[in-house]
Amino acid sequence: MNSRLEKLISWLKDQQIDAAFISSPDNVFYLTRFRCEPHERLLGLVVFQDNEPLLICPGMEVDDAKSSGWDKEILGYSDSDNPWNLAEERIKARIPKVQSWAVEKDHLNVSRYEELANRFEYTHFVNADHILNELRLVKDEQEVAAIKKACELVDFAVEVGANELAEGKTELDIIAAIEYEIKKKSAGMSFDPLVLAGANAASPHGIPGLTKIERGQLVLMDLGVIYNGYCSDITRTLAFGEISNRQKEIYDTVLKAEEAAVKLTKPGIRAKELDQTARNIIRDAGFGEYFTHRLGHGLGISVHEFPSLTETNEMKLETGMVFTIEPGIYIPGVAGVRIEDDVLVTENGVEVLTQYPKTLQIIE
Ligand code: MN
Ligand code: MN
């Protein structure tokens, strides 16, 4: 049994929960190393206190599951099967009654919840989100290596985007070039890339379109690459041609806030201290109302995971955590600037994994 599963099993024992039904593809990947995108089909990892775990997946994926290293039982089903009938049989062969289920309450949908509730003699459902989020908080060596590679690739993606900037090109032209170059490196994007020009960047999660890039604009690029199942997430805001003093002031403020938070990062410090440090710098510069989101988020198998770097999160940082630091200033109708790095908490402090320059890059 791998050590990740062992930790989940010892939690089941401590909490006296009969079984866990894990269904989010990210958590299934974390526990089994089998990456599956099941769409509407059923994917589930059933974990027991003392019985062999059972992986349930579409029949056509069984070979993939085996070749990713899963050597325990697999229940593959066809599109004409009712997978729940088959699963019920295999689960009841292990333990006749499941009186408590651990499930991902933030993920499990209602129809699957009802299957679990109605087919097994249950007493209650316990939320497994917390324990799984906790298990994934501190990355092991292999995970860090994959994230580092994803960061290397995303630095390259920004470089491609920067080289592509030219008058007359649209936001989507730049994105197409980035995606093509990343594909050629046998990798993929971890989320739909954002390239937002001028006032479009004032919406932190704006939708790129056919807006043409113009000289004198700040262009925000928020990009992520996935490598071996692990994600990177970077934002750089580049100047296309000369920009105004006001734009520079916004940029410098974000940069100062970002660098201060990075510098403060080390084991033992609380998540909220990083957010507050960056937020105070932006507030003191008079832009407080325009920094409309948290400072950052954990990064790994999911683009967003624990820890969450908010103004109020008391969580103490530990060696091996990986997260983003990404303050921003968004002035509606004017401009948006965000600078985002991925960082690893180390014994001595911090290692910044994304390397693309942060000093204002003026692209001519
Ligand atoms: Mn991002
Ligand atoms: Mn991010």
Side-chain angles (χ1 to χ4, degrees):
M1 202 76 73
N2 73 54
S3 66
R4 295 173 182 177
L5 263 178
E6 269 167 12
K7 284 178 190 157
L8 180 62
I9 291 166
S10 70
W11 177 78
L12 290 177
K13 288 180 176 166
D14 284 351
Q15 304 292 313
Q16 297 180 312
I17 302 165
D18 291 334
F21 187 90
I22 306 300
S23 59
S24 86
D26 285 358
N27 280 331
V28 170
F29 174 63
Y30 181 73
L31 294 167
T32 66
R33 298 179 198 260
F34 166 51
R35 163 57 67 184
C36 176
E37 182 35 78
H39 302 286
E40 78 287 7
R41 295 183 177 103
L42 182 66
L43 171 72
L45 176 66
V46 195
V47 183
F48 304 87
Q49 286 191 25
D50 298 304
N51 297 83
E52 191 188 22
L54 173 67
L55 177 64
I56 304 161
C57 70
M60 60 187 168
E61 314 249 8
V62 168
D63 287 344
D64 291 339
K66 283 181 190 161
S67 58
S68 44
W70 180 253
D71 58 359
K72 305 286 184 295
E73 191 178 346
I74 303 174
L75 162 56
Y77 59 88
S78 77
D79 287 336
S80 50
D81 288 331
N82 178 336
W84 284 105
N85 288 341
L86 304 173
E88 179 179 350
E89 209 173 280
R90 305 264 186 116
I91 293 167
K92 285 184 173 166
R94 286 169 166 80
I95 50 173
K97 293 176 182 176
V98 183
Q99 295 189 305
S100 49
W101 277 112
V103 295
E104 301 140 295
K105 290 192 177 182
D106 288 341
H107 179 267
L108 194 75
N109 66 30
V110 178
S111 63
R112 286 170 186 179
Y113 157 78
E114 286 179 344
E115 296 285 358
L116 292 172
N118 297 334
R119 286 173 184 267
F120 305 91
E121 190 179 322
Y122 83 103
T123 49
H124 62 294
F125 284 87
V126 180
N127 197 355
D129 284 313
H130 194 71
I131 179 71
L132 289 161
N133 287 337
E134 254 176 40
L135 288 178
R136 284 169 52 180
L137 255 177
V138 169
K139 272 65 184 175
D140 64 26
E141 253 174 60
Q142 266 187 329
E143 293 181 293
V144 169
I147 294 170
K148 280 185 175 172
K149 184 73 190 166
C151 288
E152 226 174 79
L153 286 163
V154 91
D155 284 334
F156 167 70
V158 178
E159 208 181 301
V160 171
N163 290 336
E164 206 61 28
L165 288 185
E167 234 158 346
K169 284 196 182 164
T170 67
E171 295 166 337
L172 288 172
D173 288 333
I174 312 297
I175 288 173
I178 292 168
E179 290 195 339
Y180 180 62
E181 291 301 326
I182 290 297
K183 282 257 156 44
K184 284 206 286 187
K185 297 217 178 259
S186 304
M189 309 307 292
S190 55
F191 54 87
D192 277 341
L194 293 185
V195 172
L196 300 166
N200 288 355
S203 166
H205 281 172
I207 300 167
L210 298 173
T211 303
K212 287 188 173 145
I213 288 149
E214 287 168 27
R215 289 203 174 272
Q217 279 181 330
L218 286 164
V219 181
L220 183 152
M221 298 187 194
D222 188 348
L223 311 171
V225 169
I226 183 160
Y227 181 82
N228 272 355
Y230 284 81
C231 301
S232 57
D233 181 8
I234 193 174
T235 306
R236 289 294 183 268
T237 308
L238 309 170
F240 182 52
E242 278 304 319
I243 55 168
S244 69
N245 287 338
R246 175 76 168 159
Q247 286 166 312
K248 273 186 193 139
E249 186 195 352
I250 297 169
Y251 190 92
D252 290 344
T253 305
V254 175
L255 181 59
K256 210 170 133 194
E258 205 265 355
E259 285 179 329
V262 170
K263 205 170 159 209
L264 207 64
T265 302
K266 61 181 175 201
I269 200 154
R270 294 180 195 277
K272 68 172 191 181
E273 292 176 74
L274 300 191
D275 181 291
Q276 288 167 0
T277 298
R279 202 167 296 280
N280 285 339
I281 289 170
I282 290 175
R283 240 178 234 152
D284 291 347
F287 295 111
E289 63 180 299
Y290 302 118
F291 179 18
T292 46
H293 53 74
R294 62 183 169 181
L295 180 69
H297 53 83
L299 188 70
I301 293 170
S302 310
V303 182
H304 285 192
E305 53 185 62
F306 274 23
S308 181
L309 282 87
T310 65
E311 227 174 331
T312 50
N313 188 356
E314 303 277 348
M315 183 186 279
K316 279 188 180 168
L317 302 184
E318 285 173 50
T319 306
M321 287 183 180
V322 175
F323 51 83
T324 69
I325 293 182
E326 50 175 308
I329 295 176
Y330 312 94
I331 305 182
V334 180
V337 172
R338 175 166 66 252
I339 300 172
E340 172 177 31
D341 275 323
D342 302 341
V343 303
L344 166 70
V345 182
T346 62
E347 266 169 51
N348 306 322
V350 62
E351 184 180 345
V352 182
L353 306 179
T354 36
Q355 299 280 315
Y356 191 87
K358 287 186 282 193
T359 50
L360 183 65
Q361 304 291 303
I362 299 169
I363 313 291
E364 291 302 337

